[in-house]
Amino acid sequence: MEIRYKSTRSDVTVTASQAILQGLAEDGGLFVPTALPKLEKDLSELVGLSYQDLAYEIMHSFLTDFTEEELRHCINSAYDSKFDTEAIAPVVVKGGVSYLELFHGATIAFKDMALSILPHLMTTAAKKNGETKKIVILTATSGDTGKAAMAGFADVPGTEIIVFYPKDGVSHIQELQMVTQRGENTHVVAIRGNFDDAQTAVKQMFNDRAFGEELAAKGCRFSSANSINIGRLVPQIVYYVYAYCQMVKNGTVKVGEPINVTVPTGNFGNILAAWYAKQMGLPIAKLICASNVNRVLTDFFETGEYDRKREFILTSSPSMDILISSNLERLVYHICGNDSDRCRSFMEELAKTGSYTITDDMRAGLTDFRAGFASEEENFAGIRDLYESTGYVIDTHTGIANAVYRRYAAESGDQTPAVIASTASPFKFAVSVVGACKPGETEGKSDFALIDLLSEISGVKEPQAVTDIRTAPVRHDTVVDVAGMPDAVRNILL
């Protein structure tokens, strides 16, 4: 069955490769599949597959204009020795809960799972569509996407990548990872603002036709490495199916038995991928959406109102410090009956007033979801409790999911086997993680001294990604106001 892609805001369709190349639809909407495919093989047949073979089984159902040879080349080029384990995304059972470790790639965060393959998908898509312009990857990051995208696209012929990040809105290690990035085609720009400011400005540049024509005249075209790109989202579906298969192999569940999935999320892409996995036939009972105190998603699921008009709070889980959850638009499109006109009206209302409220019939389409948020104190307490009871150390984003899930389980009595998406290595957030596990021991210590202490208390060797930045020179030091972002792009490209 051929799957095409259409905007959440209109009915024009394109192929998968065209959607990946464009990133964002011309009308500002996000590309969604015209149909959601089902798993083609029984789960019992999928259990024994390698990550690479499972990735092909899932992705070829969505990317139907890629040949088997093309898609397998992309998969095998992405999921190779850059990951520090053959399992790629292992499941670890601690404290009666399964943790899906998504941080074994080159930049020690879950973004590697999709951004390792996106450059291969994009360059293949360019060839398929006869694209001769240089592809300019324009990306806003709340901490992890930027580094993972640059690592993937560094020195890839025919591409340039420009990453914007909030100057005071990421951890020191995240910032070092970005500003030391090598590659002649990589560019990093800090902004005086928050992630939402960066993301909004990037979308505006995508939708600025005059700017696009200016770039085209210089032989360039924009595309995106954010999860607004369907080429980011489809690879994320894979690891939920893979997690289920591992839970079957280790005896946590039997084939066909349901699981609950908890995801720490800000931009809503990672948990949307889990929802797509459920639509394909993966036996997921509840999708638990975990937020930090920037609880805009929790409020949406509890009330039906999405309201970004609130204080933006910087937390110890910076990749979730987001008030404009772009991927939620895709879910809104699906629950309003795949009606692009209705979806567009909600997004226009959001842009105009800062909020929108879905209808009761749409809320009925959200019964698969539960949502909650955790405070800084709850997050740290949960990280400490897990460490003290099992010796297992998790990062602050996984900590949010851990706290939200355990409260949900206690309050609901739901004993369905659960997997938590563990989205980053604790070494990325050593200051906060050591502070949680060993209160009082961070005072006066540098980030790298705390990394050494974290390695000692966790029994885990420092990841190579951290070792690499200890002595790496800073290569990117540009800082601009939000209004100066378009000119920063011009200075780089034109």
Side-chain angles (χ1 to χ4, degrees), residues 60 70 76 96 98 104 129 134 156 193 220 222 269 301 307 341 349 356 415 453 493:
H60 89 273
E70 289 169 338
N76 292 332
S98 297
H104 288 273
N129 289 277
K134 178 180 288 188
V156 171
C220 299
F222 280 145
F301 283 105
D307 185 359
D341 290 335
E349 188 176 353
Y356 63 87
Q415 297 300 306
L453 180 56
L493 298 176

Side-chain angles (χ1 to χ4, degrees), residues 115-177:
L115 284 166
S116 292
I117 193 170
L118 183 61
H120 302 288
L121 293 174
M122 194 166 286
T123 52
T124 301
K127 291 176 185 177
K128 292 176 73 66
N129 289 277
E131 179 57 73
T132 58
K133 294 186 181 68
K134 178 180 288 188
I135 299 169
V136 178
I137 307 299
L138 195 63
T139 292
T141 184
S142 54
D144 289 333
T145 290
K147 171 62 180 179
M150 286 189 291
F153 280 94
D155 293 324
V156 171
T159 69
E160 296 278 339
I161 178 165
I162 305 171
V163 170
F164 292 97
Y165 76 95
K167 176 60 181 169
D168 298 315
V170 301
S171 80
H172 183 52
I173 297 300
Q174 285 177 309
E175 184 171 42
L176 281 176
Q177 283 189 300

